[in-house]
C-alpha cells in the first residue's frame, strides 16, 4: 500500500471500501501475531504552498492517535485466545455491534452453525469499546452530512455552530462497527461544532467518506486548543519567501491606487543577489507583473512619502542553499510567523510574543528565522520595522530583540554550539546599533530627562489606513479650502498647503502606531511627547541584556563596528542604573502604586492607569517594595473577570458618539499585556497572582473556544465571559471571520494560551476543560490551593 493509502487507513479513507477495514482495531484478532498500530509518516514539504496548507497532511492536523490502547488490546485478545487453546475463532461479522457480550456472542456462534437467527441489534452501538468511550463513526457522505448539519444547526447562517444558534443541537451518526448501519446521537454545541470542523477539514482534503473517532468530538477543549495551536495554527501563520509565492506575498490590498495594482518588491541597494532572485521570480511568471526596484542608500522621510502611490514589500533576510546533486546555489527566505491569516508581512513586537509560543511548540527554526530578519532590517533599513512594507520605513515598534535573541539562543545549543554563539553575537551587534541610532537618538530621545519616546519621523497622511479613516479630522480643512477629501489629501501630501496643527496630529498618530497600542485615549494627541513606561522598561532591559552579552560573548570589551567606540559591561550597567533612576524620578507614583508616562513637552507626569505599568516588573527595574506596592494597589484596579484590562475605566473616561471606544482601552484585554505581567509577577515572587491572572485569561479563551466554534481572536472584552470575542471597536477583531473551522487563531493569543498553561496544574486544567468560571473555581479552593493563587 502507498504511503497515502496508509495515512488514509487511519484517518480519512478513499471511497474504495477495500482500502479500509472499519473493524481493523476493534475486532477480536486471531491467535496470530497482533496487528501493528498504524505508523505515522511525516510528509516533507516541497513548497511554500504545502508548507502553509493546513490540509496538506491529516496527521499534522489530527495529532497523535486518540486511543493508543488499540494495538495493546489486539495483542491482549490474541494472547487470551492462545491461552484458552481455542483451535479456531471466528471473526466478528460486520453486522454485529457487540464485542465480547456473552449472550450475543453465543447467539452469533449458534447462528453461524445454522441453529438460530441472529439477533437484530439496537440503534445504539454498545460494543465493548463503545462502553469505554472509544466509539468510532463512519460518515458515508461527507457533503450530505455537512449540509444536514448546517441546515439544522447553523440557524444564523454564518457557517459556525455556536451557543447562539437555535437548532435542535443533535445529529445522528452511523457507527463504524456497523459500517454506518446503526446510529448514535451526537449532542451539544461543542461536539456539533467540532463535528462541523472535522467535516470541513475532510471536505478540504477531498474526502467523500471518513471514519471519525468520537474522541475528536468530545476532546477536552484545553487539549484540543493546545493541539491545534501547536500542530495547525502555527503552520497556517508561517510564511517563507520563494520564487513561486512572492507575487502573492507582495500584493497589497491596503493601497488603492492604479500604481499599486501590480505586486512590487523593494530591495536594499547592497543586495544585488536578492535583486537577481526577484527578477528571476518575475521572469518565471510574467503574468504576475511583479515589479522589482532598488532602494536608495539613504532612505529619507521625503523618499518614503514618494512611495505612497507605489507601495511594495521590503526584502527580508535570505540564506544560500546548495543543491547537493547539481552544486547549484539558490536563495531561500528564512521562515517567519505573521500575526493573523490575512497578513503576509513580518511585524515588530508581535513577532517576539509569537516567538515565545513557537518555542513552546518546539518550532525553533521559525523563531530563529524572525531574529535573522530583524538583524537584516536593522542593517538594511536602520530599525526593526512596524512591518516590512515601504510605508513603514520610518516607523519601528516596541523593541524586544535582546530577549528574543536570548530565548532562541538558549534553544539552539547556547554556548556549546559555535553557530549559536555566532548568532547571539550578530543579534547583539544589531541590537546595539538599534539602541544607539533609533531609541537614544533624536527625535526619540528627550535630552532633558534622558528618557525615550515613540517619535517616528514621516510626512503626510499614513497611506495604509482606510480612505475615510481621517475624514473627521480632515473635514474642517476641506471646508477651509473648499475642496473634496481626495483633493485636500493630495494638496497636503504634496506640501501645497501647510497646516501645523494637522502636522502635529499626524506626528502623534504615527507615534501611536509605532507604540503598538493603536489606538488608545492614553496616547490621543500626545503620544510623541510621552516618555512611556513600556518603552523605557524595554530599553532598561536592552541595557542589562547588552551588559550581560558583552561580558559573556565579547570578552567584556565591545568595539562598535559603526563608530569604533569601546564599551564594557560596566558601562552598560551604568546606563541601566541611570535609566532606572530616571524612571523612578519621573514615572513612579508611590501613592498610586503605578508607573505613569511622563510628558516631556509640558514636563508633567500623567495619571493614566495602564497595564503597561507591569512591564517594569518584566524588565526587572522595579524594587521588591515597588513590586509589592503595585500588586497591592495597581493590580486590583486592572484585574477583571477574565484577566488584565488595558486601563481602568476611570482613566479611559466616558464614551459617547463623539468619543468612541478605543481598542487598547477598557474593557479590552490583549495577550501581550497578560504575557508580560505573568512573567514579571512570577519573577518577583508573586507567582500566585500570575497563576490567578492566567486562569482568568485561559478560562475566557477556552469558554469562547467551546461556545463559538473554536474561535481564537486578536483581543477580548475581559469584563464578560459570555461572548468576550465580540468587540465593538475600530479595526474589528481579527480571527473571527472564518467558515467551518478556524485555521490559524491569532499569533500572540496562541502564544498566551501555551504560556498561561505553564502556570496551571492538573486540577486547574480540569477546571478549565469544564469551563468553571474564575469566581466559582477560586471560591471552591481550600487551604494550600488558595495560596497557589494568592487568594485571601
Amino acid at each position: 500500500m502507498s504511503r497515502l493509502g496508509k495515512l488514509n487507513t487511519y484517518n480519512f479513507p478513499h471511497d474504495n471500501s477495500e482500502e479500509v477495514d472499519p473493524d481493523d482495531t476493534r475486532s477480536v484478532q486471531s491467535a496470530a501475531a497482533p496487528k501493528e498500530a498504524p505508523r505515522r509518516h511525516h510528509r516533507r514539504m516541497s513548497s511554500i504552498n504545502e508548507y502553509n496548507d493546513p490540509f496538506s497532511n491529516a496527521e499534522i492536523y489530527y495529532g497523535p492517535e486518540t486511543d493508543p490502547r488499540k494495538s495493546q488490546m489486539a495483542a491482549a485478545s490474541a494472547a487470551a485466545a492462545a491461552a484458552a487453546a481455542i483451535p479456531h475463532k471466528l471473526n466478528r461479522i460486520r453486522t454485529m455491534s457487540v464485542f465480547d457480550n456473552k449472550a450475543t456472542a453465543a447467539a452469533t456462534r449458534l447462528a453461524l452453525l445454522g441453529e438460530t437467527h441472529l439477533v437484530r441489534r439496537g440503534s445504539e452501538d454498545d460494543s465493548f469499546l463503545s462502553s469505554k468511550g472509544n466509539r468510532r463513526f463512519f460518515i458515508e457522505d461527507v457533503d450530505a452530512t455537512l449540509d444536514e448539519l448546517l441546515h439544522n444547526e447553523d440557524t444564523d447562517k454564518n457557517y459556525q455552530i455556536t451557543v447562539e444558534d437555535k437548532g435542535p443541537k443533535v445529529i445522528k451518526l452511523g457507527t463504524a462497527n456497523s459500517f454506518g448501519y446503526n446510529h448514535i446521537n451526537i449532542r451539544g454545541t461543542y461536539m456539533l461544532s467540532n463535528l462541523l470542523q472535522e467535516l470541513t477539514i475532510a471536505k478540504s482534503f477531498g474526502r467523500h467518506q471518513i471514519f471519525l473517532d468520537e474522541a475528536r468530538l468530545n476532546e477536552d477543549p484545553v487539549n484540543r486548543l493546545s493541539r491545534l495551536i501547536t500542530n495547525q495554527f502555527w503552520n497556517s501563520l508561517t510564511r517563507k519567501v520563494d520564487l513561486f509565492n512572492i507575487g502573492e506575498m507582495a500584493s497589497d490590498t491596503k493601497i488603492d491606487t492604479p500604481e499599486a495594482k501590480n505586486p512590487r518588491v523593494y530591495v536594499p541597494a547592497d543586495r544585488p543577489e536578492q535583486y537577481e532572485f526577484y527578477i528571476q521570480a518575475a521572469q518565471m511568471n510574467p503574468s504576475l507583473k511583479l515589479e522589482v526596484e532598488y532602494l536608495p542608500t539613504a532612505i529619507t522621510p521625503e523618499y518614503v512619502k514618494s512611495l505612497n502611490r507605489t507601495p511594495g514589500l521590503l526584502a527580508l533576510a535570505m540564506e544560500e542553499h546548495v543543491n547537493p546533486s547539481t552544486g547549484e546555489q539558490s536563495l531561500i527566505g528564512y521562515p517567519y510567523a505573521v500575526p493573523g491569516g490575512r497578513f503576509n508581512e513580518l511585524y515588530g513586537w508581535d513577532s517576539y510574543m509569537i516567538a515565545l509560543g513557537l518555542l513552546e511548540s518546539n518550532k525553533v527554526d521559525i523563531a530563529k528565522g524572525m531574529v535573522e530578519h530583524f538583524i537584516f532590517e536593522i542593517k538594511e533599513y536602520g530599525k526593526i520595522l512596524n512591518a516590512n512594507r515601504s510605508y513603514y520605513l520610518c516607523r519601528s515598534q516596541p523593541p524586544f530583540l535582546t530577549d528574543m535573541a536570548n530565548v532562541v539562543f538558549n534553544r539552539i545549543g547556547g554556548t556549546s554550539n559555535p553557530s549559536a554563539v555566532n548568532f547571539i553575537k550578530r543579534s547583539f551587534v544589531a541590537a546595539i546599533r538599534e539602541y544607539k541610532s533609533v531609541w537614544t537618538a533624536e527625535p526619540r530621545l528627550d535630552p532633558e530627562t534622558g528618557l525615550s519616546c515613540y517619535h517616528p519621523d514621516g510626512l503626510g497622511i499614513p497611506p495604509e489606513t482606510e480612505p475615510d479613516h481621517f475624514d473627521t479630522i480632515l473635514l474642517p480643512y476641506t471646508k477651509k479650502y473648499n475642496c473634496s477629501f481626495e483633493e485636500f489629501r493630495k494638496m497636503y501630501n504634496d506640501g501645497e498647503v501647510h497646516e501645523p496643527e494637522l502636522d502635529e496630529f499626524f506626528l502623534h498618530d504615527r507615534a501611536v502606531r509605532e507604540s503598538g497600542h493603536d489606538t488608545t485615549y492614553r496616547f490621543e494627541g500626545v503620544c510623541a511627547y510621552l516618555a512611556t513606561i513600556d518603552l523605557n522598561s524595554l530599553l532598561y532591559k536592552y541595557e542589562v541584556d547588552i551588559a550581560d552579552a558583552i561580558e559573556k560573548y565579547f570578552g567584556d570589551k565591545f568595539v562598535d563596528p559603526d563608530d569604533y567606540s569601546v564599551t564594557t559591561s560596566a558601562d552598560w550597567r551604568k546606563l541601566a542604573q541611570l535609566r532606572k533612576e530616571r524612571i523612578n524620578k519621573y514615572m513612579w507614583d508611590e501613592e498610586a502604586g503605578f508607573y505613569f508616562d511622563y510628558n516631556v513637552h509640558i514636563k508633567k507626569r500623567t495619571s493614566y492607569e495602564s497595564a503597561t505599568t507591569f512591564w517594569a516588573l518584566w524588565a526587572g527595574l522595579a524594587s521588591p517594595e515597588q513590586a509589592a506596592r503595585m500588586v497591592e494597589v495597581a493590580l486590583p484596579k486592572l484585574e477583571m473577570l477574565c484577566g488584565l484590562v488595558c486601563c481602568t475605566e476611570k482613566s479611559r473616561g466616558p464614551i459617547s458618539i463623539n468619543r468612541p471606544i478605543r481598542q487598547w482601552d477598557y474593557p479590552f484585554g490583549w495577550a501581550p499585556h497578560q504575557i508580560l505581567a505573568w512573567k514579571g509577577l512570577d519573577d518577583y515572587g508573586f507567582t500566585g497572582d500570575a497563576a490567578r491572572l492566567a486562569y482568568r485569561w485561559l478560562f475566557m479563551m477556552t469558554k469562547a473556544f467551546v461556545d463559538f466554534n473554536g474561535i481564537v481572536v486578536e483581543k477580548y472584552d475581559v469584563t464578560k465571559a459570555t461572548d468576550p470575542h465580540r468587540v465593538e471597536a475600530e479595526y474589528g477583531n481579527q480571527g473571527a471571520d472564518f467558515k467551518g473551522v478556524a485555521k490559524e487563531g491569532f499569533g500572540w493569543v496562541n502564544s498566551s494560551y501555551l504560556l498561561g498553561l505553564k502556570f496551571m496544574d492538573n486540577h486547574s486544567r480540569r477546571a478549565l476543560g469544564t469551563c468553571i468560571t474564575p469566581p466559582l473555581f477560586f471560591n471552591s479552593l481550600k487551604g494550600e490551593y488558595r495560596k497557589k493563587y494568592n487568594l485571601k
Side-chain angles (χ1 to χ4, degrees):
M1 182 183 294
S2 69
R3 180 191 60 77
L4 184 58
K6 289 183 179 180
L7 178 140
N8 289 334
T9 299
Y10 181 69
N11 281 317
F12 295 127
H14 292 297
D15 291 336
N16 186 350
S17 60
E18 294 181 0
E19 205 170 330
V20 179
D21 178 5
D23 300 317
D24 58 355
T25 57
R26 305 287 180 170
S27 60
V28 178
Q29 303 296 319
S30 69
K35 181 181 289 188
E36 292 184 2
R39 289 187 177 183
R40 293 288 179 177
H41 294 271
H42 296 285
R43 186 178 184 182
R44 181 178 178 180
M45 299 305 179
S46 60
S47 73
I48 189 65
N49 291 331
E50 285 189 325
Y51 191 81
N52 283 327
D53 182 2
F55 308 120
S56 62
N57 188 333
E59 293 168 342
I60 291 176
Y61 186 90
Y62 282 97
E65 293 182 3
T66 57
D67 187 6
R69 297 172 297 171
K70 291 176 181 177
S71 58
Q72 297 174 3
M73 292 175 64
S77 298
I86 299 175
H88 178 69
K89 189 172 181 69
L90 295 169
N91 288 331
R92 177 168 57 90
I93 63 174
R94 197 169 292 237
T95 56
M96 290 301 298
S97 63
V98 177
F99 180 87
D100 255 9
N101 180 294
K102 293 182 178 179
T104 311
T108 304
R109 183 179 292 275
L110 291 172
L112 293 170
L113 296 174
E115 298 179 19
T116 186
H117 295 289
L118 286 175
V119 178
R120 183 178 181 181
R121 63 182 183 170
S123 62
E124 291 286 334
D125 187 333
D126 57 351
S127 69
F128 175 78
L129 287 177
S130 298
S131 69
K132 297 298 182 182
N134 297 313
R135 294 183 296 197
R136 204 177 187 209
F137 305 115
F138 172 61
I139 298 176
E140 186 175 11
D141 189 330
V142 168
D143 288 342
T145 306
L146 186 58
D147 289 343
E148 177 190 357
L149 181 65
L150 289 170
H151 179 268
N152 293 339
E153 302 293 347
D154 181 26
T155 56
D156 56 9
K157 305 304 179 185
N158 65 349
Y159 217 93
Q160 298 174 18
I161 297 175
T162 73
V163 291
E164 296 176 342
D165 286 307
K166 306 301 182 184
K169 296 294 171 72
V170 62
I171 192 173
K172 290 183 179 295
L173 294 183
T175 66
N177 286 14
S178 67
F179 215 66
Y181 182 80
N182 285 337
H183 292 82
I184 293 174
N185 288 330
I186 299 301
R187 300 179 184 275
T189 297
Y190 180 61
M191 292 187 71
L192 291 173
S193 69
N194 286 346
L195 176 61
L196 173 61
Q197 295 168 47
E198 306 294 348
L199 291 173
T200 303
I201 293 164
K203 186 170 183 177
S204 298
F205 279 143
R207 306 296 194 258
H208 302 293
Q209 297 177 333
I210 62 172
F211 287 93
L212 181 63
D213 285 338
E214 187 177 21
R216 292 299 181 199
L217 304 184
N218 61 14
E219 184 178 8
D220 180 284
V222 175
N223 295 339
R224 183 177 179 89
L225 180 50
S226 302
R227 177 174 60 82
L228 291 179
I229 291 170
T230 298
N231 296 338
Q232 169 57 36
F233 289 178
W234 291 137
N235 292 344
S236 297
L237 292 173
T238 298
R239 306 287 186 268
K240 183 193 287 189
V241 169
D242 64 26
L243 289 170
F244 306 99
N245 67 5
I246 184 58
E248 178 184 355
M249 294 182 70
S251 298
D252 193 345
T253 59
K254 294 190 290 295
I255 308 297
D256 186 20
T257 65
E259 300 89 338
K261 298 301 181 184
N262 294 340
R264 183 178 289 102
V265 179
Y266 287 103
V267 181
D270 62 345
R271 296 286 177 167
E273 74 285 356
Q274 287 206 15
Y275 184 83
E276 293 175 7
F277 170 87
Y278 290 114
I279 289 294
Q280 181 185 359
Q283 293 172 344
M284 287 176 61
N285 193 348
S287 63
L288 288 178
K289 298 182 179 179
L290 177 67
E291 299 181 13
V292 186
E293 297 184 28
Y294 271 121
L295 289 168
T297 304
I299 299 174
T300 64
E302 289 77 14
Y303 172 76
V304 175
K305 188 187 72 170
S306 73
L307 302 180
N308 283 354
R309 296 186 64 84
T310 57
L313 190 73
L314 299 173
L316 290 174
M318 307 186 82
E319 58 180 337
E320 278 193 359
H321 280 247
V322 178
N323 188 318
S325 59
T326 65
E328 182 181 359
Q329 292 185 338
S330 61
L331 292 178
I332 188 168
Y334 288 97
Y336 61 93
V338 296
R342 71 185 181 94
F343 299 100
N344 283 318
E345 308 90 350
L346 173 77
Y347 276 77
W349 73 311
D350 293 74
S351 294
Y352 170 73
M353 307 296 167
I354 292 170
L356 297 179
L358 289 168
L359 294 176
E360 285 297 313
S361 302
N362 293 317
K363 297 185 181 297
V364 182
D365 60 323
I366 307 174
K368 180 178 180 292
M370 293 196 286
V371 177
E372 294 287 357
H373 289 311
F374 286 157
I375 295 171
F376 181 92
E377 285 189 344
I378 291 171
K379 183 180 186 300
E380 301 296 347
Y381 308 126
K383 60 180 70 68
I384 291 177
L385 301 172
N386 185 161
N388 62 311
R389 293 282 180 185
S390 56
Y391 38 77
Y392 294 135
L393 278 165
C394 293
R395 191 190 313 161
S396 187
Q397 276 202 320
F400 284 93
L401 178 57
T402 59
D403 196 69
M404 187 177 180
N406 277 332
V407 295
V408 172
F409 171 73
N410 291 332
R411 291 295 299 275
I412 60 175
T415 54
S416 62
N417 181 0
S419 66
V421 174
N422 174 267
F423 165 83
I424 198 69
K425 292 175 75 171
R426 290 187 294 108
S427 299
F428 273 88
V429 169
I432 291 170
R433 175 179 293 170
E434 179 200 22
Y435 174 90
K436 288 185 174 182
S437 64
V438 179
W439 301 112
T440 58
E442 292 186 356
R444 292 175 179 85
L445 177 67
D446 175 56
E448 182 175 334
T449 62
L451 299 173
S452 299
C453 307
Y454 295 114
H455 194 127
D457 48 17
L459 298 172
I461 302 172
E464 76 275 12
T465 57
E466 299 83 355
D468 60 350
H469 186 79
F470 297 110
D471 281 1
T472 303
I473 302 299
L474 300 181
L475 180 60
Y477 298 97
T478 61
K479 294 180 179 179
K480 176 180 178 179
Y481 292 98
N482 193 27
C483 61
S484 66
F485 285 107
E486 184 176 355
E487 289 171 335
F488 179 77
R489 291 190 200 101
K490 185 177 186 308
M491 293 165 55
Y492 179 72
N493 285 335
D494 292 345
E496 297 174 9
V497 297
H498 298 280
E499 294 292 342
E501 290 186 5
L502 201 55
D503 294 342
E504 182 165 342
F505 170 84
F506 284 116
L507 164 64
H508 296 305
D509 180 83
R510 285 188 292 270
V512 171
R513 298 172 192 278
E514 182 169 78
S515 77
H517 292 75
D518 47 329
T519 61
T520 165
Y521 286 112
R522 173 187 170 210
F523 289 158
E524 188 98 336
V526 72
C527 187
Y529 297 153
L530 293 181
T532 67
I533 182 57
D534 33 297
L535 175 57
N536 286 279
S537 294
L538 299 181
L539 295 178
Y540 172 84
K541 183 71 160 57
Y542 258 46
E543 291 155 351
V544 171
D545 288 348
I546 290 170
D548 291 342
I550 289 176
E551 184 175 27
K552 293 177 182 177
Y553 315 122
F554 294 91
D556 209 10
K557 180 182 178 182
F558 178 75
V559 181
D560 194 311
D562 295 324
D563 58 18
Y564 303 105
S565 62
V566 179
T567 54
T568 65
S569 60
D571 296 323
W572 286 91
R573 290 194 175 98
K574 288 178 183 176
L575 290 174
Q577 179 61 31
L578 184 58
R579 186 176 298 274
K580 179 192 289 189
E581 293 171 359
R582 289 166 172 168
I583 288 173
N584 285 327
K585 175 182 177 180
Y586 293 106
M587 299 182 179
W588 173 247
D589 189 315
E590 177 70 22
E591 181 179 354
F594 273 88
Y595 284 99
F596 292 120
D597 304 326
Y598 182 81
N599 190 315
V600 301
H601 188 64
I602 62 174
K603 299 177 174 53
K604 185 178 179 181
R605 183 189 299 157
T606 71
S607 59
Y608 207 97
E609 297 169 331
S610 168
T612 54
T613 188
F614 296 109
W615 292 31
L617 301 185
W618 177 86
L621 70 86
S623 68
E625 294 76 19
Q626 287 171 316
R629 183 64 178 166
M630 292 170 69
V631 171
E632 177 188 6
V633 182
L635 183 56
K637 293 183 177 181
L638 295 167
E639 183 175 355
M640 300 289 128
L641 173 66
C642 298
L644 280 179
V645 71
C646 285
C647 69
T648 61
E649 186 174 14
K650 175 184 176 182
S651 290
R652 183 205 64 186
I655 298 301
S656 65
I657 295 177
N658 297 322
R659 197 174 186 270
I661 199 165
R662 303 296 193 201
Q663 66 175 1
W664 283 92
D665 280 336
Y666 181 93
F668 306 126
W670 289 73
H673 286 173
Q674 320 301 317
I675 293 170
L676 298 183
W678 298 339
K679 180 66 164 59
L681 289 165
D682 186 37
D683 287 346
Y684 277 81
F686 297 99
T687 305
D689 297 279
R692 188 179 68 251
L693 291 173
Y695 184 90
R696 293 183 182 279
W697 180 260
L698 297 178
F699 159 77
M700 174 194 64
M701 284 188 63
T702 307
K703 186 70 160 56
F705 179 80
V706 167
D707 288 349
F708 291 92
N709 209 105
I711 198 168
V712 177
V713 289
E714 177 186 36
K715 53 185 173 285
Y716 295 88
D717 182 340
V718 294
T719 65
K720 61 181 182 179
T722 52
D723 54 350
H725 66 287
R726 193 154 287 140
V727 170
E728 299 296 333
E730 76 269 65
Y731 306 121
N733 205 0
Q734 300 302 318
D737 186 17
F738 61 87
K739 290 186 176 181
V741 59
K743 300 175 185 177
E744 61 271 321
F746 196 84
W748 56 26
V749 182
N750 298 342
S751 292
S752 72
Y753 200 78
L754 301 180
L755 295 168
L757 285 176
K758 297 175 72 174
F759 291 97
M760 301 294 105
D761 58 15
N762 289 336
H763 180 66
S764 53
R765 284 180 69 109
R766 287 194 296 269
L768 288 172
T770 51
C771 296
I772 304 298
T773 64
L776 185 59
F777 175 67
F778 296 140
N779 289 337
S780 69
L781 300 177
K782 307 293 182 184
E784 290 299 316
Y785 271 106
R786 295 188 66 80
K787 293 182 181 179
K788 283 190 174 183
Y789 301 93
N790 199 18
L791 298 168
K792 307 303 182 186

